[in-house]
Structure formats: C-alpha cells, structure tokens
Amino acid sequence: SDAKVIDLKGKILLPGLMDMHVHLDGDFEGNFDYVYKESSSEGTIRALINAEKTLMAGFTTIRNIGQLHITPELIDVALAQASDKGLIKSPRIIPSGHMISINGGHGDISLGLAEGLVNLGPVDGIINGKYDALEAVRYQIKHGAKFIKIHATAGVLSLEDAVGAQQLNSEEMKTIVDEAARHHIKVAAHAHGTDGIIAAINAGVYSIEHGSLLDDEGIRLMKEKGVYLIPTTGLSGVINQMIDKMNPVTAKKAKYILPLAKENLRKAIKSNVKIAFGTDTPVIPHGQNAIEFSAMMACGMSATDAIKTATTNAAEMLGLSDRGELKEGLLADIIAVDSNPINDIKTLETVTFVMKGGVVYKN
C-alpha cells in the first residue's frame, strides 16, 4: 500500500550498465602530468566528480582498474566503501588500488623525470622481481583491492618508446596471479603487444585490457582458457582529436597502434572471444562511456552483443550473479532510455533514468 510507482511509460528499461576499465581519479588533457603533483585529497575530489558523472550516464557498476595518483592511500577503495554505504553518488566500484608495473614501465609515473626526484616502490606498484611483486600485490589486497591490475607490456600514453614490448616477465606475472588467487582475487593485464598478451594469458590472468596486437595464437589461448578481452576501442576517436596536444612520443605510438587494434578486435569478435565492456575513461571522458558501444559495433559487433558486454558478460567476468539482468531477486539497478538500443545504440549515450539499489538518482 505504501509502494511508490514510477511512471516510465514509453521508455525502454535495461539493467544498470557496467564499465570494466575506468580510472576515476583522472582527466585526460593530452597527458597525465598532474597526477604526481596532486595529493590524494585532490585526487579523491576528481574521482568523486567523475563517479557522479559515470552514475548519471547509467553505469551502476564499474571496475576502477588502477588509480593514477601515486599516493599511499588507495583512493578507489575509499570511494568503493563510501558508495556501498550510500554516502556518495557513485556506481558500485570494484577497486584495484595501484597498478603493478616494472621500474621504468608503463605505470611508472616518474618516467621522464630527473633521477631521484620521485622514488617509487612496491607499495606504489613499481616492482623489480618476484619478491617485489609479492609485496606489491599483498599491499593492494591488504588495503582493500578487489581486483589486481598489472602492466604486461608498454603502453600508449606513457613515455617509453615501445608500445608493445613485454615489461613484466613471466615469473613476475605468475607470482602476482598465484598470490592474488590465494586471496580469491583475479588479475587483469594491460597488454598491447603479442608476446606480452600470450605471456599474461599463460600466467593465468582473467582479462586482457586493450589487446591491440592480439594474434591468432592469442585468440586461441583466450578461447581455450576463457580469458576476457576488454578492447577499449572507442578511445581512438578521442585521442585522434587530442593528438596535437600530446607528447610526440605518445602521439607516434597512438598513430601506430590504434588502427591495428581495430583490425584485431574485428578478428576477436569474429572468433567469438569473450568480450566485456571497457572504456579506459578518462581517455573517453567520464560520463561519455557509452561511446564505446558504437565503436565496438563499427568493428563488427551486433547491437545485442554490444549491450551484453556491459551487462551479462561483465557480470559473468566479475563472478557476480546479483546484477546484469532485470530479474526478481537481483539488485534494483535499472536504467531507462528513450528508444530501443537494439535499433539505435546511440540512445545509450543519453540515459534518462537511473536507479541504483532501488534509489533513484536521475529521472
């Protein structure tokens, strides 16, 4: 008798969307120079603003797959706990703390700075060898990480010259995966280059992020082992618009790798590799996450399968059976759009209603 009726006549309902590759504490300005100048407090304020933008865009669960600020505090863990308590306007957050990378690798924010100016170690995610790897993964888990992120290869938006070169060695990756598994925690691997992709799969990671130079052998192994691909292909349009503001090193890598990434995503889609939705926000700006749907469809994915990447596929990848569908007994994470996204995928870019856990945040 005291039920509140919400009239959404004429709208299309979907379960809350899920983004598996987010960095809430960042904003992309052609570079990330600010992240070693800001305190954890300043990074948290950025993340709070971006969390609300993401929720209002219809994404009710995200995996914050590595914070960008190099501070002892794990910003995404604090946000996840605040979100669970209903203290902030935010998606449900699966936090991973600091990304784990080699000294001088993709996650080493001191790369390019004068020697000795910034010294990073395992608690910051920067390692040299398997014992550092153990310390790094244990630190993240101790302080609340629920997923671990590693850098198997070099990257695009960092200052090392090679975009695809393997960085963490196989022993380091296997050490991280085994230690995380003892805590019932999975590992995601940033990996662009072929050798690093294959090494990460063989080490036991649960998802490959980007997968730009994924080849036939990598596709075979991913299917054999049930590894998910998080392609983050929508960011190429944003980077192309920003290319003149970028460091010449990163701009050169972007021009080389992004067209190849699209070609190999087409192969992965045709081969029925498991794919979950991920944007690498803030490269795609926070709140514009749904751009990724059209980008995946441009590489050959159907609208229905694209929607599944951000609903049922993402829930399965996370091992969560309480979300991803509209069913009695599941979390009341519900969004509404004006038209049927199977016919018009861009309608997901303008979500008009957002409910998370039975609480209406946008109507």
Side-chain angles (χ1 to χ4, degrees):
S1 62
D2 60 349
K4 180 181 178 181
V5 176
I6 300 171
D7 186 359
L8 292 173
K9 185 177 180 180
K11 304 292 183 183
I12 300 292
L13 302 184
L14 298 92
L17 302 173
M18 293 183 261
D19 189 336
M20 297 295 97
H21 195 121
V22 172
H23 304 283
L24 284 177
D25 64 316
D27 293 287
F28 184 55
E29 302 162 355
N31 59 65
F32 295 103
D33 290 350
Y34 59 85
V35 299
Y36 58 83
K37 300 174 184 176
E38 289 187 347
S39 67
S40 56
S41 302
E42 291 168 310
T44 301
I45 291 168
R46 276 188 189 267
L48 278 169
I49 294 167
N50 293 331
E52 182 171 354
K53 289 179 182 178
T54 306
L55 178 63
M56 296 306 170
F59 288 81
T60 54
T61 297
I62 62 167
R63 191 177 58 158
N64 197 80
I65 201 68
Q67 76 178 49
L68 301 177
H69 286 73
I70 302 297
T71 62
E73 299 82 9
L74 302 193
I75 293 170
D76 58 352
V77 171
L79 287 174
Q81 293 169 350
S83 177
D84 290 345
K85 293 174 182 176
L87 301 177
I88 59 174
K89 293 181 180 179
S90 167
R92 305 174 193 275
I93 299 171
I94 314 297
S96 61
H98 295 305
M99 301 172 277
I100 300 178
S101 182
I102 65 165
N103 189 15
H106 180 56
D108 187 349
I109 202 69
S110 68
L111 191 64
L113 300 180
E115 301 94 323
L117 190 62
V118 177
N119 294 307
L120 304 175
V123 299
D124 309 300
I126 304 305
I127 70 166
N128 295 293
K130 67 177 183 179
Y131 297 109
D132 278 1
L134 278 174
E135 183 179 352
V137 72
R138 287 173 178 172
Y139 182 89
Q140 311 315 316
I141 293 172
K142 172 184 176 180
H143 293 288
K146 304 301 180 186
F147 225 102
I148 295 296
K149 163 81 171 291
I150 66 172
H151 288 143
T153 74
V156 176
L157 299 176
S158 50
L159 295 177
E160 72 271 58
D161 289 329
V163 65
Q166 184 174 336
Q167 291 190 339
L168 286 169
N169 64 40
S170 295
E171 181 183 49
E172 289 165 336
M173 285 192 267
K174 186 71 163 58
T175 298
I176 291 166
V177 169
D178 289 349
E179 183 61 27
R182 275 191 280 276
H183 300 269
H184 306 289
I185 286 177
K186 298 170 183 173
V187 176
H190 157 107
H192 285 289
T194 306
D195 291 345
I197 291 170
I198 290 173
I201 295 168
N202 286 329
V205 303
Y206 209 73
S207 66
I208 295 292
E209 315 295 309
H210 316 302
S212 302
L213 301 182
L214 181 65
D215 67 355
D216 291 343
E217 174 65 5
I219 287 172
R220 184 190 70 77
L221 284 171
M222 290 185 81
K223 293 184 69 176
E224 177 186 310
K225 297 178 183 292
V227 177
Y228 284 81
L229 175 64
I230 318 296
T232 68
T233 193
L235 56 76
S236 61
V238 178
I239 287 180
N240 287 334
Q241 293 173 5
M242 286 272 197
I243 208 84
D244 292 337
K245 296 180 181 179
M246 292 166 56
N247 183 292
V249 172
T250 60
K252 180 181 178 181
K253 290 191 290 184
K255 289 175 183 177
Y256 164 71
I257 201 75
L258 295 179
L260 295 174
K262 288 185 178 182
E263 290 178 21
N264 292 318
L265 176 56
R266 289 187 183 97
K267 292 179 187 175
I269 290 169
K270 285 182 181 178
S271 301
N272 294 315
V273 170
K274 290 182 176 182
I275 296 176
F277 185 98
T279 57
D280 208 2
T281 56
V283 185
I284 287 180
H286 298 283
Q288 298 179 36
N289 310 57
I291 289 172
E292 183 71 21
F293 290 111
S294 296
M296 288 190 292
M297 288 180 65
C299 291
M301 188 177 286
S302 71
T304 301
D305 285 343
I307 294 166
K308 286 179 179 179
T309 66
T311 52
T312 52
N313 291 17
E316 182 186 74
M317 194 202 78
L318 293 171
L320 298 172
S321 59
D322 60 355
R323 67 198 76 181
E325 299 179 81
L326 294 179
K327 278 185 178 180
E328 183 179 357
L330 272 61
L331 294 170
D333 294 352
I334 302 171
I335 66 169
V337 290
D338 290 336
S339 59
N340 189 339
I342 293 173
N343 303 323
D344 175 20
I345 200 71
K346 285 190 174 292
T347 193
L348 293 175
E349 296 177 23
T350 51
V351 170
T352 56
F353 174 87
V354 178
M355 171 186 282
K356 187 191 82 172
V359 176
V360 176
Y361 288 89
K362 183 179 186 180
N363 187 6

